Amino acid sequence: MKLSYHGHSVVKIETGDFTILIDPFISGNGQTDLQVGDVSPTHIVLTHGHNDHVGDTIQLAKEHGALVIATFELADYLETQGAKTHGMGIGGGRKFDFGHVKFTQAFHSSSFTDDQGTVHYTGMPAGVVLTIEETTIYHAGDTGLFSDMKLIGEQGIDVAFLPIGDNFTMGPRDAARAVEFIEPRIVVPMHYNTFPPIEQDPEHFKSLVHSADVQILKAGEEVQN
């Protein structure tokens, strides 16, 4: 399995014949190395409906027949836009061809603004735990710190992707506390430096973490197990 980070909150997982994209914000993302025309996902997993997470989902889903896995209201909306979807609820899990997906709670908001400026409510925000090839990955989505991250950690997290940008999500100090709660082997900071309000120094975050291997990845780099 190849697990790589692609700027903002974009994560790509390649396993066997499957390519899974999490929160594929590519167009307009100055932090990513990806081009929409160069990726061919079989599955897309979304944490919530904000445009900087849904990103190019609709186009990619239509062009490649990718199954979009998301919380129910977001999946329902994307279905009306022509995407093939599978809706789930927070706390619910399901086995897919590539592995197991379970949505967790996150403390944030969730809506999608279409090209006409209409805002669509897209249900609850979420994090997601994926178990693929005996590796368990936690992508926290956009969230503040919450103590039930300890329960997520009890599942045994190998790699955690945590936002550190502050303003809209956890900042470095709260994200470092989250590492204490989750106890992953590896943690990758995400959701920072894309826009002025979330400018952060990931090295500062790294200096605050003492219980995990912090891997600060440039766009396109892989997690090293």
Side-chain angles (χ1 to χ4, degrees):
M1 182 181 71
K2 290 175 61 177
L3 177 61
S4 53
Y5 174 64
H6 297 275
H8 200 57
S9 298
V10 186
V11 171
K12 181 168 68 172
I13 303 166
E14 297 168 278
T15 175
D17 295 329
F18 305 106
T19 298
I20 304 100
L21 287 177
I22 304 176
D23 288 357
F25 171 43
I26 299 172
S27 299
N29 180 0
Q31 296 294 315
T32 193
D33 63 308
L34 298 178
Q35 299 290 328
V36 175
D38 295 335
V39 290
S40 303
T42 57
H43 299 78
I44 296 170
V45 178
L46 299 177
T47 61
H48 63 294
H50 287 158
N51 294 57
D52 62 324
H53 292 260
V54 172
D56 300 279
T57 292
I58 296 170
Q59 179 181 344
L60 291 170
K62 287 181 177 180
E63 289 182 357
H64 303 287
L67 178 66
V68 181
I69 303 166
T71 52
F72 181 79
E73 290 83 359
L74 178 55
D76 195 40
Y77 171 73
L78 294 173
E79 190 92 26
T80 70
Q81 304 304 302
K84 179 174 64 174
T85 69
H86 181 92
M88 296 178 65
I90 292 172
R94 184 178 176 87
K95 190 176 187 306
F96 294 89
D97 291 342
F98 62 85
H100 189 268
V101 175
K102 181 178 182 180
F103 281 97
T104 71
Q105 69 187 83
F107 285 87
H108 194 57
S109 56
S110 184
S111 62
F112 181 80
T113 306
D114 66 24
D115 292 339
Q116 286 71 47
T118 302
V119 178
H120 302 267
Y121 171 69
T122 50
M124 297 289 287
V128 63
V129 175
L130 304 98
T131 304
I132 303 171
E133 294 186 18
E134 300 182 356
T135 297
T136 301
I137 303 157
Y138 172 46
H139 187 295
D142 281 3
T143 188
L145 178 67
F146 58 97
S147 60
D148 279 355
M149 285 179 168
K150 294 178 182 179
L151 300 178
I152 296 171
E154 287 177 0
Q155 301 176 61
I157 303 300
D158 295 299
V159 184
F161 290 87
L162 300 180
I164 67 164
D166 218 349
N167 198 75
F168 302 111
T169 68
M170 296 185 291
R173 289 192 178 278
D174 278 357
R177 186 71 187 279
V179 175
E180 296 175 6
F181 288 164
I182 301 162
E183 298 184 332
R185 289 193 301 106
I186 298 166
V187 60
V188 179
M190 65 173 186
H191 202 273
Y192 66 95
N193 290 352
T194 321
F195 317 111
I198 60 171
E199 290 179 354
Q200 294 291 336
D201 179 3
E203 292 291 347
H204 174 54
F205 166 70
K206 184 174 183 177
S207 73
L208 299 172
V209 175
H210 308 291
S211 60
D213 175 16
V214 179
Q215 297 187 15
I216 299 171
L217 303 182
K218 296 178 182 177
E221 291 185 338
E222 294 179 31
V223 174
Q224 301 300 310
N225 273 310

